[in-house]
């Protein structure tokens, strides 16, 4: 028998796997985890291919094979696809799958306890609590103690006395089995139709994509639960992607209520033990229902039947660092490789998905109304030219009036402004100096709650200075423009009696405090909630009947071609928070551009009007979905060199009809963390394989060390 060789891919910045010899006493197949020598070290890698040794070169042998299940074939293909499509290195794409290395080792064995019945030892109140609240058993002493509100000593003592039996079990226990047959809410006729169509797609057992397009509060979650239940009945695994921000305890509770067991979670803040547990349970196929943020797409599912992308338009699905990818688009690829179904759900679908639905590439499943008698909020515009706020203020008279009415009815209001902190700009009245971030082209934002000046791009912060750092004039620094803290301050002047709270990612006390505030809002303990983007996603506030948008104007910074679309989406979602229970809601939007197409369509409650105007514009300009875009960022420590490299790269562009190259030019943030940046934008006709074009272009360019070139296929950020 000839010696075998294997190609092993390492999760590092490499584009190809390396050749190794397979020792005679080892059998490997693609997907197996192995240790192999590279340079002076042994490194963990994944077998990519196996074949007879064809090279005369002396190959080093693979050192060890891990006893874990191999990565499924579809996952290997997905890694290749991800790298190719996004112009990333193959090794770095693999790295996204190896997100819990500890899961490759067998789970440590620890002592678990369960009650012995009948119990014939002396009972105490604490021991009774162990029995009553400590389960489900078997469980570790620390967990039982926490659930029962007793010390671990009580649990151990109870065991020593013979009331509990101890056994060694793996520390990573399986997640509870979700039960697809628990009845959900009684669905409305429209919801039933939508659910039936999704269920049918799952039943075909083939690849399909459905766009679940339903107004805010129409019950999309209830509907896709039915598709998930069907996939579970078939014994498949289900992945539900949600924006990171929606992964709250409250959000997870809904899944538990519907399926009787908490789903396996996955997000960036997950602790090491939970990561290990979820990863292991996914690859062994026992975790049937996973709810996670975008990176959950790179978990090693062997038996994936359904992927739901909730709020599919959400920008947080785009990963902007490392391997740059869009989880919404990649979920379609992932499903195709496993012949699974995808449900993209949104009240404001991305224009890309909408066009795919209209041209028949995706099934279009529409939920036109809210269940029962709940109606959509009435939206009106306030023209700030006609109704300017008082000097130095940001809330206009009509907005104050409307809020007053809501409060007098004992209902809740929300003021929305997507700007953290107190003021977005700090300027010296004496010399005109603006406070800048030290190593980044951005202004420092005043945060009064913490008394600091903060850079929102890098996180740099300093104590708010007493004097101007330039001319040293004292007391001359002035805050310019509104942030949520300032709007809350103004609101408490207008409504001194009201209970006013701020909700933003700065809310001190972290996720716990944010959750608590949301809960108090839900229970009606807050009258006016002043919030950023944080408040937009996935929360139901039943007593909220009015939303006031402090600044509805388009943020056209950086020439983002999706600025209009984003504004429309955000405002529909924000306004959609109002009037979700039995009382109708309304929204008022302050604007300087009341004639803008997006705002006009909002006020008219006519999405089609916005969509057709926006699509016509995109078509004319050859922008997505009628054209393709790629962004390139060249960055490095010296400006002259960055500019020269940018020009050199443009000079190397392969000639192709239907491709247009713009730049290099200075982006809105020309320097970030001390590195200068220049941007190139590539616009191509849809018939062009832009990923292949960019890969071939990139391969012609050599960069000096410390200089980087990032390719971003279908960029969402133009900073
Ligand atoms: P969406 O995801 O479309 O915004 P949700 O699924 O979150 O909507 O539903 C909005 C609210 O309406 C939730 O509180 C949900 O429990 C409720 N709801 C949805 N469908 C029904 C129904 N058929 N019967 C009663 N309440 C429903």
């Amino acid at each position: 028998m000839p010696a075998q060789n294997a190609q092993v891919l390492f999760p590092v910045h490499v584009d190809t796997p390396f050749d190794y010899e397979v020792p005679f006493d080892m059998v490997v197949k693609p997907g197996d985890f192995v240790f192999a020598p590279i340079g002076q070290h042994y490194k963990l890698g994944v077998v990519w291919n196996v074949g007879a040794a064809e090279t005369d070169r002396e190959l080093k042998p693979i050192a060890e094979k891990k006893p874990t299940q191999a990565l499924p074939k579809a996952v290997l293909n997905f890694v290749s696809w991800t790298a190719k499509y996004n112009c990333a290195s193959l090794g770095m794409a693999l790295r996204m799958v190896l997100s819990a290395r500890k899961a490759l080792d067998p789970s440590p064995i620890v002592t678990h306890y369960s009650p012995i019945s009948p119990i014939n030892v002396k009972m105490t109140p604490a021991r009774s609590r162990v029995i009553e609240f400590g389960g489900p058993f078997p469980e570790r002493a620390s967990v039982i103690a926490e659930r029962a509100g007793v010390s671990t000593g009580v649990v151990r003592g109870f065991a020593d006395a013979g009331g509990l039996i101890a056994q060694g079990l793996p520390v990573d226990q399986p997640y509870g089995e979700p039960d697809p047959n628990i009845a959900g809410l009684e669905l409305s006729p429209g919801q039933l139709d939508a659910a039936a169509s999704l269920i049918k797609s799952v039943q075909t057992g083939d690849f399909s994509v459905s766009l679940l397009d339903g107004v805010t509060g129409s019950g999309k979650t209830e509907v896709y639960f039915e598709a998930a239940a069907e996939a579970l009945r078939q014994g498949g695994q289900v992945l539900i992607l949600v924006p990171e921000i929606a992964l709250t305890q409250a959000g997870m509770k809904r899944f538990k209520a519907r399926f009787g067991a908490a789903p396996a979670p996955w997000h960036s803040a997950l602790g090491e033990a939970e990561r290990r547990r979820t990863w292991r349970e996914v690859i062994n196929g026992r975790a049937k229902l996973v709810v996670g943020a975008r990176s959950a797409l790179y978990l090693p599912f062997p038996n994936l039947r359904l992927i739901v992308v909730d709020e599919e338009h959400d920008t947080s699905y785009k990963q902007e660092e490392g391997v740059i990818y869009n989880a919404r688009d990649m979920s379609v690829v992932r499903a195709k490789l496993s012949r699974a179904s995808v449900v993209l759900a949104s009240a404001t679908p991305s224009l890309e998905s909408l066009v795919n639905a209209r041209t028949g590439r995706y099934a279009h499943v529409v939920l036109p109304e809210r269940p029962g008698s709940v109606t959509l909020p009435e939206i009106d515009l306030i023209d700030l030219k006609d109704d300017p706020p008082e000097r130095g203020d940001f809330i206009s008279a009509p907005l104050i009036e409307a809020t007053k009415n809501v409060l007098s009815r004992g209902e809740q209001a929300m003021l929305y402004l997507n700007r953290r902190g107190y003021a977005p700009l700090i300027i010296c009245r004496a010399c005109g100096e603006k406070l800048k971030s030290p190593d980044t082209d951005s202004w420092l934002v005043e945060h009064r709650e913490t008394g600091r000046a903060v850079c929102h791009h890098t996180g740099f912060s300093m104590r708010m200075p007493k004097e101007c750092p330039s001319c040293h004039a004292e007391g001359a620094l002035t805050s310019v423009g509104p942030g949520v803290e300032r709007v809350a301050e103004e609101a408490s002047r207008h409504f001194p009696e009201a209970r006013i709270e701020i909700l933003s990612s700065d809310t001190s006390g972290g996720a716990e405090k944010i959750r608590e505030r949301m809960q108090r809002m839900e229970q009606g303990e807050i009258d006016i909630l002043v919030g950023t983007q944080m408040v937009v996603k996935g929360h139901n506030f039943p007593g909220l009947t009015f939303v006031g948008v402090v600044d509805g104007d388009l943020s056209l910074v950086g020439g983002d071609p999706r600025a209009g679309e984003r504004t429309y989406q955000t405002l529909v979602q924000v306004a959609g928070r109002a009037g979700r229970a039995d009382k109708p809601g309304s929204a008022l939007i302050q604007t300087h551009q009341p004639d803008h197409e997006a705002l006009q369509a909002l006020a008219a409650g006519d999405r089609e009007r916005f969509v057709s105007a926006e699509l016509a514009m995109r078509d004319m300009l050859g922008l997505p979905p009628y054209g393709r875009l790629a962004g390139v960022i060249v960055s490095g420590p010296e400006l002259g060199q960055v500019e020269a490299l940018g020009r050199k790269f443009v000079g190397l562009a392969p000639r192709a009809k239907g491709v247009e190259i713009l730049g290099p030019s200075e982006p809105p943030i020309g320097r970030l963390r001390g590195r200068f940046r220049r941007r190139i934008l590539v616009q191509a006709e849809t018939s062009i394989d832009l990923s292949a074009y960019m890969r071939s272009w990139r391969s012609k360019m050599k960069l000096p060390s410390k200089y980087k070139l990032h390719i971003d296929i279908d960029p969402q950020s133009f900073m």
Side-chain angles (χ1 to χ4, degrees):
M1 191 172 85
Q4 281 218 306
N5 79 349
Q7 292 185 300
V8 176
L9 180 65
F10 295 102
V12 294
H13 206 96
V14 292
D15 286 324
T16 50
F18 300 153
D19 288 318
Y20 288 91
E21 183 190 291
V22 182
F24 280 103
D25 57 353
M26 191 187 281
V27 180
V28 293
K29 59 181 180 305
D32 275 335
F33 291 92
V34 293
F35 273 104
I38 181 161
Q40 304 296 315
H41 303 281
Y42 286 88
K43 244 185 134 35
L44 177 72
V46 171
V47 174
W48 215 245
N49 276 309
V50 182
E54 276 171 17
T55 166
D56 296 335
R57 221 160 22 100
E58 177 98 7
L59 294 179
K60 287 187 186 157
I62 291 174
E64 185 195 328
K65 181 178 134 180
K66 283 270 177 194
T68 329
Q69 275 108 325
L71 284 180
K73 186 98 195 355
V75 174
L76 301 182
N77 290 339
F78 187 41
V79 167
S80 301
W81 230 100
T82 297
K84 221 167 127 180
Y85 184 84
N86 298 293
C87 301
S89 80
L90 192 60
M92 293 309 274
L94 175 66
R95 197 188 177 102
M96 297 202 290
V97 175
L98 302 189
S99 45
R101 310 255 170 129
K102 288 262 163 65
L104 300 177
D105 295 318
S107 175
I109 304 292
V110 294
T111 309
H112 285 62
Y113 297 89
S114 30
I116 296 173
S117 73
I119 298 174
N120 44 17
V121 304
K122 184 171 148 280
M123 289 305 284
T124 61
R127 286 178 177 178
S128 300
R129 281 223 296 283
V130 166
I131 301 289
E132 197 174 342
F133 304 111
F137 299 102
E139 190 46 89
R140 283 165 290 164
S142 57
V143 179
I144 295 174
E146 197 190 318
R147 287 179 189 153
V150 300
S151 71
T152 50
V154 168
V155 179
R156 297 219 170 83
F158 196 13
D160 290 344
L164 301 176
I165 188 166
Q167 62 190 129
L169 290 173
V171 64
D172 296 331
Q173 289 291 298
Y175 289 94
E177 180 88 12
D179 178 356
N181 298 321
I182 294 178
L185 294 174
E186 195 177 322
L187 298 185
S188 68
Q191 290 175 326
L192 278 173
D193 281 349
S197 127
L198 298 184
I199 289 171
K200 210 167 121 222
S201 301
V202 172
Q203 281 170 342
T204 58
D206 211 339
F207 167 64
S208 67
V209 187
S210 305
L211 175 63
L212 178 57
D213 179 357
V215 298
T216 51
S218 57
K220 292 182 289 297
T221 315
E222 302 301 327
V223 171
Y224 73 62
F225 276 172
E226 297 303 314
E230 182 57 30
L232 292 172
R233 271 181 218 114
Q234 294 186 7
Q237 291 174 298
V238 174
L239 169 61
I240 298 177
L241 294 179
V242 298
E244 180 109 25
I245 221 167
L247 277 163
T248 56
Q249 216 92 36
M252 295 300 259
K253 260 196 205 139
R254 211 166 154 188
F255 292 93
K256 186 167 179 199
R258 177 63 174 81
F259 295 106
W266 189 264
H267 53 84
S268 60
L270 215 57
E272 155 122 15
E274 283 283 40
R275 291 180 92 75
R276 186 183 66 200
R277 180 177 177 206
T278 293
W279 200 96
R280 195 200 305 277
E281 292 301 308
V282 166
I283 197 169
N284 69 25
R286 280 190 304 205
K288 290 287 166 29
L289 180 64
V290 179
V291 177
R294 63 174 181 239
S295 57
L297 192 57
Y298 288 88
L299 284 169
F301 294 93
N303 187 20
L304 193 57
R305 283 256 25 93
L306 172 69
I307 306 174
V308 176
V309 185
D310 201 357
E311 311 289 358
E312 68 93 36
H313 63 279
D314 197 274
T315 48
S316 74
Y317 285 120
K318 179 91 187 205
Q319 170 152 303
E320 302 280 4
E321 278 175 2
V323 177
I324 301 175
Y325 69 92
N326 188 327
R328 187 236 303 153
D329 300 339
M330 290 297 112
S331 72
V332 174
V333 175
R334 178 66 183 89
K336 195 163 190 178
L337 293 171
S338 287
R339 299 181 62 193
S341 296
V342 180
V343 174
L344 305 174
S346 176
T348 51
S350 62
L351 292 182
E352 283 86 348
S353 299
L354 208 50
V355 167
N356 279 329
R358 287 183 180 178
T359 53
R361 287 182 61 191
Y362 296 172
H364 200 175
V365 179
V366 180
L367 276 174
E369 43 194 40
R370 292 180 168 188
S373 57
V374 186
T375 52
L376 278 173
E378 187 82 35
I379 302 177
D380 280 308
L381 305 178
I382 299 174
D383 186 343
L384 288 171
K385 278 192 295 298
D386 299 339
D387 288 297
E390 297 280 315
R391 220 183 130 77
D393 280 0
F394 300 94
I395 308 176
S396 65
L399 196 50
I400 296 171
E401 193 54 35
T403 309
K404 199 179 279 167
N405 288 337
V406 171
L407 297 184
S408 71
R409 292 198 303 267
E411 295 164 8
Q412 292 169 294
M414 182 162 94
L415 296 177
Y416 171 81
L417 176 68
N418 199 26
R419 274 216 196 113
R420 295 158 49 203
Y422 186 84
L425 190 63
I426 307 158
I427 190 165
C428 172
R429 252 181 292 126
C431 73
E433 171 83 359
K434 296 170 187 159
L435 261 55
K436 286 192 223 50
S437 185
D439 62 353
T440 297
D441 288 349
S442 81
W443 310 122
L444 293 181
V445 176
E446 182 182 357
H447 282 244
R448 229 168 242 192
E449 234 180 69
T450 54
R452 301 188 78 81
V454 183
C455 171
H456 283 183
H457 292 287
T458 62
F460 165 86
S461 87
M462 63 183 202
R463 189 175 277 286
M464 189 59 197
K466 294 221 168 23
E467 58 176 46
C468 169
S470 174
C471 72
H472 303 287
E474 259 194 60
L477 292 176
T478 323
S479 318
V480 182
V484 274
E485 291 178 10
R486 195 170 199 173
V487 168
E489 184 184 278
E490 190 184 330
S492 46
R493 240 186 322 110
H494 298 305
F495 310 103
E497 308 289 309
R499 296 165 295 175
I500 300 173
E501 301 252 12
I502 299 172
L503 199 72
S504 84
S505 54
D506 298 305
T507 298
S508 50
E512 201 49 49
K513 192 82 188 174
I514 288 172
R515 211 172 295 137
E516 184 208 299
R517 237 169 243 192
M518 295 224 183
Q519 205 160 17
R520 286 201 294 125
M521 181 69 184
E522 225 174 286
Q523 291 163 354
E525 292 163 21
I526 296 173
D527 299 315
I528 304 177
L529 187 68
V530 183
T532 62
Q533 195 80 14
M534 281 296 283
V535 296
V536 179
K537 293 168 196 178
H539 306 282
N540 283 319
F541 302 127
L544 177 70
T545 56
F546 174 71
V547 171
V549 176
V550 177
D551 184 358
D553 286 330
L554 308 165
S555 44
L556 289 165
V557 219
D560 180 350
R562 291 189 183 84
E565 181 182 352
R566 295 253 186 280
T567 304
Y568 182 81
Q569 285 165 341
T570 311
L571 295 181
V572 169
Q573 299 279 354
V574 177
R577 299 290 112 193
R580 287 203 152 200
D582 47 348
K583 298 186 196 86
S586 65
L588 280 178
I589 301 173
Q590 299 192 145
T591 173
H592 284 104
Q593 305 178 56
D595 297 328
H596 195 283
E597 202 55 61
L599 294 174
Q600 284 288 322
L602 259 165
D606 185 354
R607 180 173 90 183
E608 191 45 42
R609 174 171 167 178
F610 169 72
V611 168
S612 42
E614 184 73 15
L615 284 178
M617 190 266 286
R618 302 258 185 111
D619 196 8
M620 198 174 72
L621 300 176
L623 290 169
Y626 302 110
R628 310 199 56 206
L629 291 179
V632 179
I633 289 271
V634 186
S635 68
E638 271 178 54
L639 179 58
Q641 179 78 311
V642 170
E643 284 178 331
L645 288 169
R647 285 193 299 270
K648 180 175 169 201
F649 189 59
V650 168
L652 292 171
R655 284 161 83 71
K657 228 177 113 227
V659 178
E660 201 184 331
I661 294 162
L662 309 159
S665 59
E666 184 177 354
I669 298 192
R671 192 171 58 129
L672 183 64
R673 295 192 175 89
R675 294 174 67 82
F676 291 93
R677 311 163 79 235
R678 286 298 177 262
R679 172 175 275 284
I680 298 160
L681 190 64
V682 185
Q683 191 172 356
E685 291 171 8
T686 43
S687 57
I688 301 224
D689 181 345
L690 191 55
S691 298
Y693 178 87
M694 297 305 292
R695 279 198 310 276
S696 133
W697 184 5
R698 175 71 186 85
S699 69
K700 298 178 180 191
M701 180 80 174
K702 287 254 180 307
L703 286 167
S705 69
K706 297 204 181 128
Y707 288 82
K708 288 200 174 119
L709 195 153
H710 285 288
I711 294 177
D712 181 356
I713 297 291
D714 194 22
Q716 304 283 320
S717 159
F718 292 80
M719 295 303 247

